[in-house]
Amino acid sequence: MSKTNMELYQITDAETEDYKRILKETGYTALHDKSEQTFNEWKLFQINIAVTGESGTGKSSFINSIRGLKADDPGAAKVSAVDTTIEPTAYDHPDNPKLRFWELPGVGTSNFTRDTYLEKVDLSRFDFVLLLSSSRFKENDIWLAKEIIRLKPNFNLFFVRTKIDDDLRSAQNSRRKIQTAEDRQALQQEIRDNARLNLQKGKILNANIYLIDNNDTTAFDFGSIFSKLIQKVSYLKRESMIMSLSGITNEVVQNKLAILKGRINSVSKTAAVAAVFANTDTNKYPAEIDVLLEECRFYCSQLGLNLESLQIFAKRIEIDFDEFLIKLPMQSYIYVDSEDTFAKYYQQFEKVEPKIWHSLPLIGNKGKVKAHQKQCAFLLKKFLDMCSKETHHMTMALEGS
């Protein structure tokens, strides 16, 4: 078997005995649950992100988009031309309930005046505040920003200018010539400069300003917000942020790949123990296939390579899905489509060959576990490499569109 270009920490005899005990005493489900606790520690850290701004700035649409939802999806924030937010409302990320986005009422409403706003929303509980505006940042926006900076000089405060697509469309409608890419870039820079100048007049310097279209998370600065959230969140919460956000930018994707690669050691240990000790008398396939298939499906989900994500991506770049698959040959989603398909993929790899010493009562099974771990780690590494290449193809297609 070829070596993987990663360091494999082989399962120890003590770990083997511990996993074997769990498997014997409480069954495969308990072993799987133990593994899940190790794999998914990133889901334990609470992250709260506040989204505020005046009525009509697109707060609800932004919260839906950053969670990968549309307005008519279950759990989506209600989108309305009228501000319906009468109190801070929390929306959990569908892949991680610990990542929570809060829609806050704008400053100056009848229930949230300047005198009571800070006390009522309790900004101390948030890791970030995103202040949205669909035109210029107004008097109440600037007041709130200055108060946040006064109370927490190093707080993670982002200024988000929404509905940039409307600005570009309006500029196009006011002229006869078709906008060039240079024209669009110049207009975006003008909007950014005006926002910065407006904030500077309010004594707010060095502001983080992002231009976005809530309906297209691949356009303008939406991806930059994702990257900055990852950079600014505390170290302990960083993995949670990376694994929860969509892989929309190269930086996010590379961070995800690094974390997924780091899971291979733990996952391959569980799969190896299942391969040697799990009771498979009633199973169609070897026990390790369940573990490996679930992990490979997780790779596809995290990197936007499952069937649903690929269909959305093809629509985004305005290409027929069948044509998309021809131009960008995707295989990973096929291999994880079913247990049968994945089992055939698994059979492509060299199998652990029985050794004479494998039958020895004390060291035989432990040796088999180590051999199976190498085999399982090799498969996971090869599958993740495939996913990495496919995400690169998708990034290039997106840039080309």
Side-chain angles (χ1 to χ4, degrees):
M1 181 182 297
S2 302
K3 293 182 178 179
T4 62
N5 59 349
M6 62 169 285
E7 186 175 4
L8 182 65
Y9 297 98
Q10 282 204 325
I11 189 169
T12 65
D13 291 348
E15 286 177 314
T16 300
E17 288 300 319
D18 186 38
Y19 282 41
K20 179 182 176 183
R21 177 186 57 78
I22 294 172
L23 193 61
K24 182 178 180 180
E25 292 178 357
T26 53
Y28 175 74
T29 300
L31 177 64
H32 182 269
D33 291 344
K34 175 181 172 63
S35 303
E36 282 293 299
Q37 291 175 7
T38 302
F39 305 156
N40 296 320
E41 288 183 350
W42 56 275
K43 291 186 177 181
L44 300 177
F45 296 99
Q46 183 70 51
I47 302 175
N48 293 297
I49 299 176
V51 180
T52 188
E54 293 191 348
S55 173
T57 57
K59 291 179 292 185
S60 298
S61 295
F62 175 83
I63 288 173
N64 290 336
S65 294
I66 203 167
R67 295 186 302 145
L69 301 177
K70 294 295 185 182
D72 55 352
D73 287 334
K78 183 179 179 180
V79 177
S80 173
V82 179
D83 196 347
T84 58
T85 311
I86 58 175
E87 61 182 17
T89 306
Y91 297 94
D92 295 342
H93 193 284
D95 295 331
N96 180 12
K98 290 286 187 179
L99 176 57
R100 183 167 292 172
F101 296 88
W102 292 79
E103 184 172 357
L104 305 184
V107 180
T109 61
S110 57
N111 292 327
F112 286 84
T113 63
R114 289 187 185 183
D115 292 339
T116 61
Y117 190 85
L118 296 175
E119 179 183 353
K120 284 188 173 181
V121 301
D122 186 15
L123 291 171
S124 63
R125 58 181 160 164
F126 300 118
D127 296 273
F128 301 92
V129 172
L130 280 63
L131 181 54
L132 273 57
S133 174
S134 58
S135 55
R136 62 181 182 84
F137 291 97
K138 298 180 181 178
E139 185 178 345
N140 282 329
D141 299 325
I142 293 174
W143 173 85
L144 177 58
K146 290 171 73 172
E147 286 298 299
I148 293 173
I149 294 169
R150 180 180 64 82
L151 295 171
K152 289 188 173 183
N154 297 318
F155 192 75
N156 294 314
L157 173 62
F158 296 176
F159 296 89
V160 182
R161 175 64 162 76
T162 62
K163 303 185 180 181
I164 299 302
D165 52 319
D166 289 343
D167 292 304
L168 293 174
R169 192 178 303 112
S170 177
Q172 177 60 71
N173 291 338
S174 67
R175 52 187 287 166
R176 297 184 186 280
K177 294 182 179 179
I178 299 297
Q179 284 179 330
T180 65
E182 290 76 12
D183 293 333
R184 293 168 65 86
Q185 287 293 334
L187 179 56
Q188 291 173 54
Q189 188 59 50
E190 181 182 343
I191 294 171
R192 195 187 308 275
D193 290 342
N194 286 341
R196 181 167 285 107
L197 180 61
N198 183 35
L199 292 171
Q200 287 174 348
K201 289 179 179 178
K203 309 299 183 185
I204 299 173
L205 308 178
N206 303 317
N208 294 305
I209 301 172
Y210 302 89
L211 314 183
I212 67 166
D213 168 11
N214 280 331
N215 297 313
D216 187 354
T217 56
T218 66
F220 310 113
D221 296 334
F222 217 119
S224 298
I225 294 177
F226 283 24
S227 298
K228 188 60 69 172
L229 289 173
I230 291 171
Q231 292 173 13
K232 292 291 187 178
V233 76
S234 68
Y235 177 78
L236 290 175
K237 297 180 178 182
R238 187 160 298 153
E239 184 172 335
S240 179
M241 183 72 76
I242 292 168
M243 299 300 276
S244 300
L245 294 176
S246 302
I248 192 172
T249 69
N250 184 61
E251 182 178 355
V252 173
V253 168
Q254 293 307 313
N255 277 293
K256 282 180 179 288
L257 287 170
I259 291 172
L260 295 173
K261 184 177 179 181
R263 292 165 57 102
I264 290 177
N265 277 291
S266 296
V267 177
S268 62
K269 289 177 181 180
T270 303
V273 171
V276 176
F277 295 112
N279 183 357
T280 58
D281 292 343
T282 59
N283 292 4
K284 184 177 181 181
Y285 296 112
E288 69 268 26
I289 282 184
D290 279 346
V291 181
L292 298 173
L293 174 56
E294 183 174 347
E295 183 68 2
C296 289
R297 281 176 171 167
F298 183 67
Y299 294 170
C300 289
S301 174
Q302 278 289 313
L303 297 168
L305 297 172
N306 52 350
L307 181 59
E308 181 181 5
S309 297
L310 292 175
Q311 290 172 333
I312 292 172
F313 185 86
K315 185 177 181 180
R316 181 174 295 159
I317 62 174
E318 298 179 344
I319 185 173
D320 179 76
F321 185 61
D322 291 335
E323 184 181 350
F324 167 76
L325 294 178
I326 294 173
K327 290 188 174 182
L328 297 177
M330 297 289 177
Q331 295 179 296
S332 59
Y333 84 96
I334 299 174
Y335 292 139
V336 299
D337 179 59
S338 68
E339 191 178 39
D340 290 342
T341 307
F342 188 77
K344 291 179 182 178
Y345 174 70
Y346 182 60
Q347 290 169 2
Q348 298 176 17
F349 297 87
E350 297 178 35
K351 298 297 180 291
V352 174
E353 296 294 335
K355 307 292 183 183
I356 295 176
W357 55 271
H358 282 171
S359 61
L360 296 176
L362 294 178
I363 65 171
N365 281 337
K366 293 177 182 178
K368 283 196 288 185
V369 168
K370 288 182 171 63
H372 275 283
Q373 187 195 354
K374 289 182 180 178
Q375 173 182 295
C376 294
F378 182 75
L379 177 143
L380 291 172
K381 174 62 169 55
K382 294 293 288 184
F383 191 86
L384 188 57
D385 285 345
M386 182 199 311
C387 291
S388 177
K389 291 176 182 176
E390 291 180 357
T391 55
H392 176 71
H393 294 327
M394 290 173 65
T395 301
M396 297 299 291
L398 188 60
E399 291 177 353
S401 68

